Amino acid sequence: MEFKATTDQNATIITITGRLDAVTAPEYEKKIRELIDGGNLHFVVDFEQLDYISSAGLRGLLVTAKLLKAKKGQLRFANVTGTVKEVFDISGFNSIFQMDSSLAASLAALS
């Protein structure tokens, strides 16, 4: 997994590349916690380059949402497609999280 964080206007954009699974989810959670503890409260997670997500990866996303909810932050997902979208659909995550078809749409929704 490659984890990249950039800032655009009032949001932190997280780009995840590769796999988010039992091996990589702890690293994801650690980096997200550091960003939230550093005062970042508005996130867009871009899934365009994510190839695979497991239940451990889904748990990491729930941890992100829980941390942000406690601090009245916001979280949106962009570019959830392919097999990752199938996992979201099967697990019901598509009804829990706010998802957009593009990064631009997610950023506009946070504005």
Side-chain angles (χ1 to χ4, degrees):
M1 175 195 76
E2 183 178 328
F3 181 101
K4 180 179 171 188
T6 58
T7 302
D8 182 274
Q9 298 174 352
N10 297 329
T12 300
I13 302 166
I14 306 298
T15 304
I16 306 171
T17 303
R19 299 173 60 92
L20 187 56
D21 56 20
V23 174
T24 59
E27 178 186 351
Y28 165 84
E29 289 182 34
K30 179 183 176 199
K31 290 181 177 181
I32 283 288
R33 283 180 191 273
E34 290 172 355
L35 289 167
I36 293 171
D37 290 344
N40 297 287
L41 297 177
H42 305 283
F43 286 85
V44 174
V45 181
D46 186 355
F47 290 90
E48 185 172 27
Q49 298 176 34
L50 186 68
D51 299 323
Y52 173 80
I53 188 165
S54 72
S55 60
L58 293 175
R59 186 179 57 83
L61 299 177
L62 284 174
V63 168
T64 303
K66 185 176 178 181
L67 291 170
L68 287 172
K69 184 176 181 181
K71 295 188 176 193
K72 301 190 185 328
Q74 290 181 295
L75 175 65
R76 298 191 74 89
F77 295 154
N79 298 314
V80 180
T81 60
T83 55
V84 175
K85 184 175 185 321
E86 289 177 16
V87 172
F88 272 59
D89 291 345
I90 291 169
S91 64
F93 271 49
N94 58 348
S95 63
I96 297 172
F97 292 103
Q98 296 176 314
M99 297 192 293
D100 302 292
S101 60
S102 69
L103 181 58
S106 288
L107 290 171
L110 287 178
S111 298

